[in-house]
Structures are given as C-alpha cells and as structure tokens.
Amino acid sequence: MKSIYKSKEGKQILADKYEKYLDSLPFDVEREYVDTSFGTTHVLMAGPANAKPIFILQGGNCINPMTLSWFSPLAEQYRIYAPDTIGHPGFSAENRMSAKDQSFARWIEELMNHYQIDRCAFMGPSYGGGIILRLATFLPKKIDCAVLVAPAGIKLGSKISMIKNILIPLLRYNLSSSQKSLQSIANNMSDYSMKNIDKEIIGDVFKYVKLEQEMPKLTEKEELINYKAPTLVMAGKKDVFFPENKLHNRAQEIISNLIAFKSYDIGHFPSEEYLVKMNQEIGKFLEEYYSEENMVQNYI
C-alpha cells in the first residue's frame, strides 16, 4: 500500500504533533483502533460514557485533535466519537477512499455498528461536512440531526481566489519552506486569526503529506430526497473554499429541513472569539433538536 506521507520522518513528525495536540485538549480522551472493511480506523472518544453520542468528522488534510479542539464544550454533556479519516493525516489506514460514492457512508455505518449506535447527531467542518452529506445521501436514517461547519459538498468558492490565495503561496512554500508564504496561507485560510500551533501543523502537512486533492462530491437535491434530519449550516463570509455567499442559497435548495443558516465574519478556520459564539449556537441547536421527541419524528 502506498503511503500518504512523503517520508517516514515526516510521518513521525506529524504523529508527534498529533500527540502534543491531544495532550493540550481540555478534556480526557480515550482512543482505540476499529477494524472496518475500508481499513483500520483510529477513533478518539471523549465525554460521559452514557451520554448521547455525537460523531465529529475531521477537516481534510489536517489532524483530528485540531478539529476536536474547536468543539471542546460538547465533551461536557455528549459522548463524542471522532474517527481519524482514512487516507488523511492521523493513525487510521492510509488508503484513499472516494468521497463521491457510498464508501464513507458505509465506513461510518461500520463504526456505528461497532459502538452499537443505530442513529445519532453528526458534526463536521469542511471535508467532514462533505462526508456527512454522503451519509445523508446513502443512509439518511443514521442521522438524528447534523451541524455542517463550512462544509464541502454543497458549493465551491471562486477557483481564481483559491489559486491566488492558497495555491500560489503553497507552491512557493513547497519550493522554499518560506515562513512568509506559510503565514500568507494561514492568513488567507483564517482571516488572520490562525493559532501558531495550527499554522505549524498545516505547514507540516503541506511539507510531509501527499495531499488529498479530491473534494467530496457536490450534493444534488435529488440525493437528499429521503434526508429529513434537522440541519444547521454555519459558514464564513471570508472563507476562501466554501464562502457563505455561495453556500447559502444552495444549502436552502438541497436540504429540506435546514433549521438555520448562520454566517460569521470569519475565514475557513474560525477564530477563538467566533468559536465561542458558534459553540453557543451549536449547543442551543442540539438542545432543541437532539431530543427523544425529534428522534421519533425523524422515523416517521
């Protein structure tokens, strides 16, 4: 099997950064490896063991603890299951999976079966949001409610803007390891708010990983005809990949039970300040829609 890493040294550097990030999280984390037909999956678990479960799916080409850190307040009252996405940096199998067919939906189903979860809440930023939309397409009854944060799989931003703000600085960084180029990418991805630890890891991923370049499939309205779960979409006005002005109308078109669409003055990476507001909104949404009453309604 081909490795997603450019070198063993690079793989070890990212593994060390993963562990360091995990140690910085403000809650205890358990972890285990689960065998699936798509490959071994490393899963992080947090929160009260008997609480309602939430699956959190990481962003693409980054590491799971980074995504998990954004939603730390959820660990206080929910049982979090956060798998390292197969084929992305982390400790899961390194084979690539297609985000255009039912592969990821079946992968999640196998993980849910392992934990004896029939249906639950889902949350995912970016690529993780795109995976949730694949699950919504192929196995919609698995989702009680969903929070999609700057999700892939709905509509892309301007290709010209991506080339100018991400690709060109990335090419420069790959050629020279220039900190100026890395800072430029970080600024453009986060509207000048990216934490140093995140910037370092993004730089290491660019340097040591063969990036996953295939975005999740853009979801068609017909694909979600059986998807009825309450859904909250959050987007950034300054997001270079999936900007709010591109996502808003399309999300309303394809998601029949779109409870709310929240837009924030942020880039693709939310700032610490906005994460507080976003987590408050997520908490309210889950309190209202992740209830026994709503679970029954979704079966109907």
Side-chain angles (χ1 to χ4, degrees):
M1 183 184 69
K2 290 183 179 178
S3 176
I4 64 168
Y5 299 96
K6 297 175 184 176
S7 68
K8 288 182 180 178
E9 294 76 18
K11 181 176 181 177
Q12 188 58 53
I13 286 168
L14 275 164
D16 292 343
K17 292 278 177 75
Y18 186 112
E19 298 295 346
K20 185 179 176 185
Y21 214 122
L22 207 54
D23 289 341
S24 75
L25 295 177
F27 48 81
D28 293 332
V29 178
E30 302 161 50
R31 54 206 295 188
E32 72 169 320
Y33 288 91
V34 179
D35 288 327
T36 77
S37 58
F38 298 94
T40 302
T41 302
H42 178 250
V43 183
L44 302 177
M45 295 162 287
N50 296 321
K52 285 183 183 175
I54 294 181
F55 263 73
I56 298 181
L57 300 170
Q58 72 181 75
N61 294 315
C62 74
I63 59 171
N64 198 355
M66 184 190 295
T67 295
L68 205 49
S69 72
W70 294 359
F71 308 113
S72 292
L74 292 177
E76 294 173 18
Q77 70 180 99
Y78 296 99
R79 181 62 170 174
I80 292 171
Y81 297 89
D84 291 2
T85 306
I86 287 178
H88 289 251
F91 294 104
S92 289
E94 294 179 36
N95 50 291
R96 301 283 195 205
M97 290 173 61
S98 173
K100 297 190 182 300
D101 60 18
Q102 61 181 316
S103 300
F104 273 116
R106 298 299 173 189
W107 172 65
I108 292 169
E109 181 183 38
E110 289 185 32
L111 293 174
M112 293 176 78
N113 288 343
H114 174 80
Y115 292 109
Q116 299 182 313
I117 299 168
D118 184 52
R119 50 194 289 129
C120 67
F122 281 84
M123 179 175 308
S126 194
Y127 196 98
I131 291 177
I132 293 170
L133 288 168
R134 292 296 88 209
L135 182 66
T137 295
F138 292 103
L139 296 167
K141 291 293 186 184
K142 291 291 179 188
I143 304 174
D144 271 320
C145 61
V147 179
L148 309 177
V149 181
I154 294 180
K155 197 157 188 179
L156 289 172
S158 159
K159 288 186 179 178
I160 293 172
S161 179
M162 284 186 234
I163 290 168
K164 176 185 169 187
N165 293 306
I166 304 296
L167 185 58
I168 291 174
L170 176 55
L171 291 172
R172 288 185 185 137
Y173 179 69
N174 284 339
L175 285 171
S176 64
S177 294
S178 155
Q179 287 302 302
K180 183 179 178 183
S181 296
L182 179 58
Q183 188 64 56
S184 175
I185 297 167
N187 290 343
N188 292 333
M189 288 179 75
S190 68
D191 191 33
Y192 298 85
S193 70
M194 191 179 290
K195 295 184 294 187
N196 279 331
I197 184 175
D198 292 352
K199 182 183 75 174
E200 284 178 22
I201 288 168
I202 291 294
D204 287 337
V205 168
F206 290 155
K207 191 181 294 183
Y208 301 122
V209 176
K210 300 166 191 171
L211 300 179
E212 169 62 275
Q213 297 181 22
E214 184 184 271
M215 291 276 197
K217 180 184 182 297
L218 295 180
T219 309
E220 304 293 334
K221 183 177 181 178
E222 307 79 61
E223 291 184 294
L224 298 183
I225 195 163
N226 295 316
Y227 176 64
K228 308 296 183 187
T231 303
L232 168 64
V233 175
M234 298 177 144
K237 295 177 183 176
K238 299 174 182 175
D239 188 331
V240 67
F241 298 112
F242 315 113
E244 174 264 348
N245 66 340
K246 296 279 188 179
L247 292 188
H248 195 175
N249 289 342
R250 185 61 181 159
Q252 288 182 319
E253 285 173 21
I254 67 173
I255 301 172
S256 64
N257 198 6
L258 181 65
I259 299 299
F261 186 102
K262 301 287 183 179
S263 64
Y264 301 90
D265 199 23
I266 56 172
H268 192 60
F269 271 56
S271 67
E272 294 289 292
E273 176 192 356
Y274 275 101
L275 276 172
V276 173
K277 299 175 184 177
M278 292 166 74
N279 275 296
Q280 288 171 348
E281 292 286 353
I282 290 167
K284 288 179 197 170
F285 173 80
L286 292 172
E287 198 174 311
E288 185 164 355
Y289 293 100
Y290 195 25
S291 65
E292 300 300 331
E293 181 183 345
N294 271 284
M295 290 179 202
V296 171
Q297 286 177 355
N298 287 346
Y299 272 112
I300 298 169

